[in-house]
Amino acid sequence: MEYSIGIDIGGTKIATGIVGQQGNVRYKRIHPTPNSTNREIVDLLKQTVSEYMKLATEENINLVSVGIGSAGQIDYKNGRILSGTVNIKDWNNIDIRESLSHTTNLPIYLDNDANTFAIAEHQLGSGKGVDDLVCLTLGTGIGGGIVSDGNVIRGKWGGAAELGHMSVNFNGPDCNCGSKGCIETYASGTGIANRMREKLNSIDAGKRISYTEHPDMLTSKEVFEWNKTGLPEAKEVIDQAITALSFGIVNMIHTFNPSLIIFGGGLAEANRWLIEEVQNKVNAIGMPSLVKGVEMKVSKLGYDTGLIGAAYQVWATSK
Ligand code: BMX
Ligand code: CA
Ligand code: ZN
């Protein structure tokens, strides 16, 4: 069987592994995303690739490529990271193929992380046999991947499908992409934490303490827990996330006419109930003929989808 080194670079963590052609993950490691310079990330990639190559030689594993899925705006044909929001520090203007050229002779594939997520789901997951689907990864940011008539939509150089930056409110919060009111500012992990922090800063100190003494440190996980216990400000933040996501998805359905929406990322995996709420809202606000019958599912491949998709690029393109 053929194997490929997979590398999934997100705003919080980098997952790496050796993945087989059937999507089987043979080795896997998780690193926190370095937060100083792009050099540090590139060094981590070099080290990881050379370790996995050594391991493959020892274990007689037939490696055929290195596949990288990375957050950011990516020239996928030339293997270059063009830019990234501040979710990954200093993630701009990096020639990944050139950077790894002294480490490996294997062909190197590079695409946006949510595009590779869509590749995995389309080839092996919930989207298998489905020609028109939209994928959304809810994590540090919100990533988007679109398959239309069986093809991944990439636009001119690969920058298409930045669905997290679909605005649903031109008076909304500033987004780190330059726009306002993007769905990422309401419904990503960082967005939910930011909106909650704003609320806590606007209420009186006594009430704030009933939530946390450290609003600076809070994460979306806590907001979901507070929502579960019925704390009203947290419920407002989560309701707002559901509403923003639903309006965004209605725009996507009206634009791409998909039959399936697939969700992934830590936030969707940990809060599957959210999807049903979104589905109900989408059905209530979208054009009936378009939203009717659009299915919504959480990734079938689970937490490893990004890693599998990154590795899978070599086989997806040769099919
Ligand atoms: C951001 C943007 C996207 C990415 C998405 C999900 C950067 C660095 N990131 O919208 O390119 O696909 O986040 O990324 O520009 P993650 O960090 O949540 O995995
Ligand atoms: Ca994308
Ligand atoms: Zn944005």
Side-chain angles (χ1 to χ4, degrees):
M1 194 199 293
E2 292 186 347
Y3 286 86
S4 181
I5 296 175
I7 299 175
D8 178 21
I9 306 173
T12 306
K13 63 180 171 57
I14 298 180
T16 68
I18 297 183
V19 180
Q21 196 166 4
Q22 275 146 19
N24 44 315
V25 177
R26 192 146 158 189
Y27 293 95
K28 180 177 137 184
R29 270 193 251 149
I30 307 283
H31 311 259
T33 307
N35 192 23
S36 54
T37 59
N38 63 43
R39 182 80 185 261
E40 232 191 308
I41 303 180
V42 171
D43 285 346
L44 176 67
L45 302 188
K46 285 185 192 165
Q47 195 191 330
T48 304
V49 169
S50 67
E51 280 170 19
Y52 282 135
M53 284 176 49
K54 189 161 165 272
L55 186 71
T57 311
E58 285 161 13
E59 307 264 318
N60 231 342
I61 295 171
N62 176 23
L63 279 184
V64 296
S65 79
V66 177
I68 302 172
S70 172
Q73 296 73 55
I74 283 153
D75 176 348
Y76 89 107
K77 277 192 193 131
N78 294 312
R80 289 185 75 91
I81 311 275
L82 298 179
S83 63
T85 66
V86 293
N87 289 5
I88 301 189
K89 207 156 175 213
D90 195 25
W91 206 220
N92 298 299
N93 199 19
I94 303 152
D95 188 334
I96 288 283
R97 289 210 181 116
E98 160 66 24
S99 304
L100 290 175
S101 63
H102 298 292
T103 311
T104 181
N105 288 324
L106 293 169
I108 295 163
Y109 294 82
L110 177 71
D111 201 344
N112 170 267
D113 59 345
N115 292 11
T116 57
F117 176 98
I119 290 172
E121 282 298 321
H122 183 231
Q123 300 283 339
L124 304 162
S126 303
K128 198 168 172 181
V130 179
D131 278 343
D132 295 277
L133 56 98
V134 170
C135 293
L136 289 173
T137 61
L138 313 181
T140 316
I142 294 186
I146 301 161
V147 175
S148 183
D149 203 13
N151 299 307
V152 177
I153 293 191
R154 291 201 178 81
K156 178 89 178 147
W157 42 259
E162 278 289 6
L163 298 178
H165 301 282
M166 180 173 282
S167 175
V168 288
N169 179 7
F170 57 73
N171 291 316
D174 288 340
C175 184
N176 56 23
C177 73
S179 185
K180 284 180 194 293
C182 299
I183 58 171
E184 183 166 306
T185 66
Y186 294 109
S188 65
T190 42
I192 288 171
N194 287 341
R195 301 290 74 82
M196 186 71 211
R197 205 170 295 121
E198 275 173 7
K199 275 214 187 294
L200 291 182
N201 288 335
S202 70
I203 61 178
D204 68 75
K207 202 169 171 198
R208 196 181 311 147
I209 301 285
S210 69
Y211 280 96
T212 173
E213 288 183 30
H214 306 286
D216 297 350
M217 312 271 283
L218 75 91
T219 65
S220 63
K221 194 161 166 243
E222 287 161 296
V223 186
F224 277 104
E225 276 161 17
W226 294 333
N227 173 59
K228 223 191 281 169
T229 58
L231 288 173
E233 284 80 8
K235 188 172 179 311
E236 280 168 31
V237 169
I238 299 297
D239 284 350
Q240 181 177 252
I242 291 168
T243 303
L245 208 47
S246 304
F247 274 92
I249 288 171
V250 165
N251 293 341
M252 296 167 206
I253 293 174
H254 290 176
T255 311
F256 299 107
N257 186 202
S259 59
L260 173 65
I261 316 275
I262 305 175
F263 296 86
L267 212 144
E269 294 282 350
N271 303 285
R272 289 170 171 247
W273 59 273
L274 208 77
I275 307 313
E276 206 183 312
E277 302 267 323
V278 169
Q279 173 111 57
N280 292 338
K281 189 136 220 148
V282 165
N283 287 342
I285 61 183
M287 283 183 192
S289 58
L290 274 155
V291 295
K292 196 176 68 180
V294 176
E295 277 193 279
M296 297 195 192
K297 293 182 179 170
V298 178
S299 159
K300 196 170 162 184
L301 307 171
Y303 283 99
D304 288 336
T305 314
L307 175 64
I308 296 169
Y312 212 84
Q313 293 175 78
V314 58
W315 303 302
T317 29
S318 64
K319 265 185 179 172

